[in-house]
Amino acid sequence: MINKIVDSVAAACTGIADGATILMGGFGGSGQPHELIDGLIAGSARDLTIVCNNAGNGETGIAALLKTGRVRKILCSFPRQADSHVFDGLYRSGKLELELVPQGNLAERIRAAGAGIGAFFTPTGFGTELAKGKETRMINGRQYVLEYPIHADVALVKAERADRWGNLVYRKAGRNFGPVMATAAKLTIAQVFDLVTLGELDPELVVTPGIYVKRVVRVDRQSERGRKAA
Amino acid sequence: MTATNIPKLNRAQIAARVARDIPEGAYVNLGIGIPTLVGDYLPKDRDILLHSENGILGMGPKPKAEDVDWDLINAGKEPVTLLAGGAFFHHADSFGMMRGGHLDICVLGAFQVSITGDLANWSTGEPDAIPAVGGAMDLAVGAKAVYIMMEHLTKKGESKLVEKCTYPLTAVGCVKRVYTDLAVIDITKTGPCVLEIVAGLPFEELQRLTGVTLIDGR
């Protein structure tokens, strides 16, 4: 019997190795898998490379992970935020390597990894600093830049609801990177607020089919309300 | 005419001017910052669908305080609403929509626009700055028409419409039209072509302030 549901965040986060590359969903706080990131912090994995759109806000979530000093490198599109002081300090002191990636290239490089694409030509970034040193090609009169996939060891994803086969549905714009990240890692871990029995999710509306997901853990919605109030 | 008595539009007036040019049925992305203001001035009698890069089509106005939902935010991470008929999708789809040329118009801010339509709007290139690019490069290459909304001059009085951008580029040759506090200018193959000037400002004065050669297309 396939049952991907684990009973704690700690169990969900076991086996994340030193040196791992980890995809983390979220656009700002929306869709950010806070509980799984807390689980990663509670573990011991270090020398990590993380891939996420933003580089953390305030002192929680990704910012708290960065603060542990266990992240070596971050790939992201928009680290600068009004309250990104943890990232700002580490970056300025040279303690954190940054690969700045245009947001659509970030999403597509992750998608390419999950879809078995070797590399792709994109017009985004052509003629800019962010394409420096990259192979380019003129195709049908337009200039493109060659970009490679971002494969990961682990993906941490926040969804709304799951069943024991790992089928996921998301909530509103909290979906953002979740569905593409779920496809691109060897170990995809999803946190959800609701667990339902097989058949309860409308198969027409499943966003991430369970084949991509290895572990599912239910977290308490109350903790999210508390965080947002704070 | 001195810098202090040049007649100019305020940001809300520029936004309203941009909004007038957005046609019925358009799919539009409004960049973070000043371009977001355009949403407040879209003609109510037109069906215009706003796209938000984080995965929304049919984005509606700000919610009332009691209706704020932090899973329903715009690119600037401010709470928004969803119109009836709106849809959510993941990030790769959202940027595929941009890159694939499905958006009719995007409105972006700028530090500089060159006479050939190069855009610089993501970095001032200062060595100690925390970089951030987000979706700017994807939008600039992807939308069918890139409209820029910016002040005509820097605080020091230098023209932001330039021969060649000195700030790091966002994209090459992507800008179609520029809306400033002084004028509306199309970027054409023969050069920047002035469509409108703010009332009370002669073309010659606009030309003097701008620095690059303008075509009077009025």
Side-chain angles (χ1 to χ4, degrees):
Chain A
M1 184 181 97
I2 296 174
N3 184 12
K4 298 180 179 179
I5 298 165
V6 296
D7 58 11
S8 69
V9 167
C13 292
T14 54
I16 300 179
D18 291 354
T21 295
I22 307 179
L23 309 173
M24 293 180 186
F27 182 82
S30 169
Q32 192 178 132
H34 284 272
E35 282 76 2
L36 291 176
I37 294 168
D38 287 346
L40 182 63
I41 294 169
S44 60
R46 53 196 315 115
D47 194 29
L48 302 172
T49 295
I50 65 170
V51 183
C52 41
N53 191 58
N54 305 101
N57 303 76
E59 303 275 335
T60 61
I62 290 169
L65 174 64
L66 294 179
K67 216 172 169 180
T68 65
R70 285 152 49 197
V71 178
R72 183 179 64 78
K73 181 177 177 184
I74 182 166
L75 283 80
C76 93
S77 89
F78 210 86
R80 185 183 64 228
Q81 307 273 292
D83 56 353
S84 60
H85 49 270
V86 173
F87 169 84
D88 299 0
L90 291 167
Y91 176 72
R92 288 203 167 110
S93 61
K95 289 180 184 147
L96 183 62
E97 186 186 337
L98 168 70
E99 181 178 338
L100 190 72
V101 184
Q103 203 167 327
N105 287 0
L106 188 68
E108 194 63 14
R109 287 174 64 190
I110 297 165
R111 197 195 72 80
I117 303 295
F120 59 93
F121 281 102
T122 172
T124 302
F126 177 83
T128 74
E129 277 178 13
L130 299 188
K132 242 179 219 156
K134 294 186 174 177
E135 192 176 332
T136 60
R137 186 177 298 184
M138 175 88 89
I139 303 172
N140 290 331
R142 193 165 193 206
Q143 293 281 13
Y144 293 83
V145 181
L146 185 65
E147 292 285 355
Y148 289 89
I150 299 170
H151 292 276
D153 300 296
V154 181
L156 305 181
V157 167
K158 175 183 171 180
E160 179 69 9
R161 194 166 292 118
D163 59 28
R164 68 175 169 87
W165 283 0
N167 293 307
L168 305 179
V169 295
Y170 297 81
R171 184 169 182 278
K172 302 190 178 181
R175 178 184 308 199
N176 56 65
F177 280 92
V180 276
M181 287 184 169
T183 69
K186 289 177 208 143
L187 171 62
T188 291
I189 308 167
Q191 64 166 69
V192 299
F193 293 122
D194 292 323
L195 292 170
V196 296
T197 57
L198 292 181
E200 269 189 75
L201 296 178
D202 181 345
E204 302 283 0
L205 300 180
V206 168
V207 177
T208 294
I211 188 168
Y212 297 117
V213 179
K214 290 281 197 302
R215 296 176 192 159
V216 174
V217 63
R218 196 191 70 80
V219 299
D220 189 358
R221 202 187 293 272
Q222 283 312 116
S223 65
E224 171 160 276
R225 290 200 182 112
R227 190 163 51 238
K228 274 158 189 172
Chain B
M1 210 171 269
T2 63
T4 47
N5 68 4
I6 302 168
K8 45 176 88 160
L9 304 182
N10 61 31
R11 286 176 174 184
Q13 289 169 318
I14 309 174
R17 178 62 196 83
V18 175
R20 262 171 44 205
D21 286 352
I22 299 186
E24 162 72 21
Y27 288 87
V28 179
N29 184 296
L30 303 176
I32 58 176
I34 312 173
T36 306
L37 287 176
V38 173
D40 296 340
Y41 297 94
L42 292 172
K44 301 271 181 279
D45 59 342
R46 295 180 198 164
D47 260 350
I48 292 169
L49 272 118
L50 295 183
H51 170 267
S52 186
E53 63 182 22
N54 49 322
I56 308 173
L57 261 182
M59 187 169 58
K62 256 185 259 178
K64 290 184 221 138
E66 63 269 28
D67 295 331
V68 165
D69 180 336
W70 290 103
D71 278 333
L72 189 46
I73 57 174
N74 64 15
K77 305 187 175 77
E78 303 153 330
V80 292
T81 49
L82 188 74
L83 302 180
F88 300 118
F89 34 86
H90 65 63
H91 242 73
D93 278 353
S94 183
F95 282 80
M97 241 172 243
M98 288 181 198
R99 208 188 300 108
H102 305 280
L103 292 177
D104 296 299
I105 296 167
C106 77
V107 184
L108 298 172
F111 298 136
Q112 290 174 325
V113 173
S114 84
I115 55 172
T116 55
D118 293 353
L119 170 64
N121 80 346
W122 72 279
S123 164
T124 56
E126 286 160 29
D128 198 37
I130 299 294
V133 64
M137 290 186 179
D138 305 276
L139 273 170
V141 301
K144 286 182 204 154
V146 175
Y147 290 172
I148 298 300
M149 190 176 153
M150 66 181 190
E151 265 117 34
H152 204 90
L153 306 173
T154 65
K155 290 203 176 79
K156 289 183 188 162
E158 292 159 341
S159 174
K160 293 166 85 168
L161 185 63
V162 294
E163 196 79 31
K164 197 170 182 321
C165 295
T166 52
Y167 287 131
L169 288 190
T170 304
V172 178
C174 64
V175 176
K176 183 170 183 200
R177 183 175 290 172
V178 181
Y179 296 84
T180 78
D181 46 352
L182 304 185
V184 180
I185 301 172
D186 263 355
I187 302 296
T188 72
K189 286 198 175 106
T190 48
C193 180
V194 178
L195 306 181
E196 283 174 35
I197 308 181
V198 65
L201 184 69
F203 178 83
E204 295 68 29
E205 184 62 11
L206 179 72
Q207 175 63 82
R208 191 186 66 78
L209 292 165
T210 306
V212 297
T213 305
L214 300 172
I215 301 163
D216 191 350
R218 296 170 302 159

